[in-house]
Every structure is written in C-alpha cells, then in structure tokens.
Amino acid sequence: MRIKTYKTSGGKDLILKYIDDLPREEMLEGYSIIKRLKYDGLNGLLTRQIKGKVWEIKFYRHNRIFYVVVEKDFIYLLHACKKQKGKAEKFEVDTALKRAKEIL
C-alpha cells in the first residue's frame, strides 16, 4: 500500500513528528503501524470510522492516527493525536476532517 503523510506548506511532516515525540515504546509501535500499512494494508489494525471517509487507527492505548483511503492501495495519514477523554477531542476530529477536504 502506498502511504502519504500530511505535511505543512513548509514541508514539516506532522505525522512523523508526532510519532517521533512519543515515548520510546509508543514511538516504536507508531512506526510499526506505518510499516504494517505499507506491507499488509489495514488488515489486523484496530480501526474505526470517524465521519465520511475519515477513519482512525488506534495504537498504544490512547494514540490515534486519522486517515483516508484515497484509492484501493493508497492511504493518506491526515492527523495524529493522543485521546484525552472517552473519545477523540472535537478539535482533533475537526483537524482531520479539514485536512481530508484539502486532499480529496
């Protein structure tokens, strides 16, 4: 599967930055998720539909990566965050939805 991560207009990769800033175990699992996506697609990952075409991958307890499937073998990672309460914060979901509109 082809994977693209969200970058700012200045080229900063916000998904990889988020993962890099996690504690070591969480960081390793985050990169493991990206590797699994590349070779196995979404098979076996804990995912959930958020709204419309936006979905999330849950990893290491409270971490989330929001994504959209652009084509059958192409996934775009939109936003990453840590869940703070019982569900993803509205701001985090709104950020992912806004980015999805930009790329779709």
Side-chain angles (χ1 to χ4, degrees), residues 17-34:
K17 169 88 172 89
Y18 175 83
I19 292 171
D20 285 342
D21 290 344
L22 292 171
R24 182 168 170 72
E25 275 187 47
E26 294 176 46
M27 178 187 68
L28 292 173
E29 188 168 342
Y31 279 110
S32 173
I33 295 288
I34 292 173

Side-chain angles (χ1 to χ4, degrees), residues 33-85:
I33 295 288
I34 292 173
K35 185 177 180 180
R36 287 175 63 187
L37 281 171
K38 185 175 181 179
Y39 294 106
D40 298 327
L42 294 163
N43 298 326
L45 295 176
L46 185 56
T47 64
R48 164 175 91 102
Q49 186 174 19
I50 298 299
K51 185 175 182 183
K53 294 185 176 190
V54 177
W55 289 68
E56 73 176 2
I57 300 169
K58 300 176 185 182
F59 73 98
Y60 204 89
R61 298 184 191 125
H62 304 296
N63 292 294
R64 305 288 188 259
I65 298 175
F66 296 91
Y67 69 92
V68 292
V69 175
V70 179
E71 296 173 7
K72 181 182 176 190
D73 66 338
F74 178 37
I75 190 170
Y76 201 112
L77 305 180
L78 301 167
H79 185 58
C81 65
K82 187 172 291 261
K83 182 177 80 169
Q84 301 295 321
K85 296 181 182 173

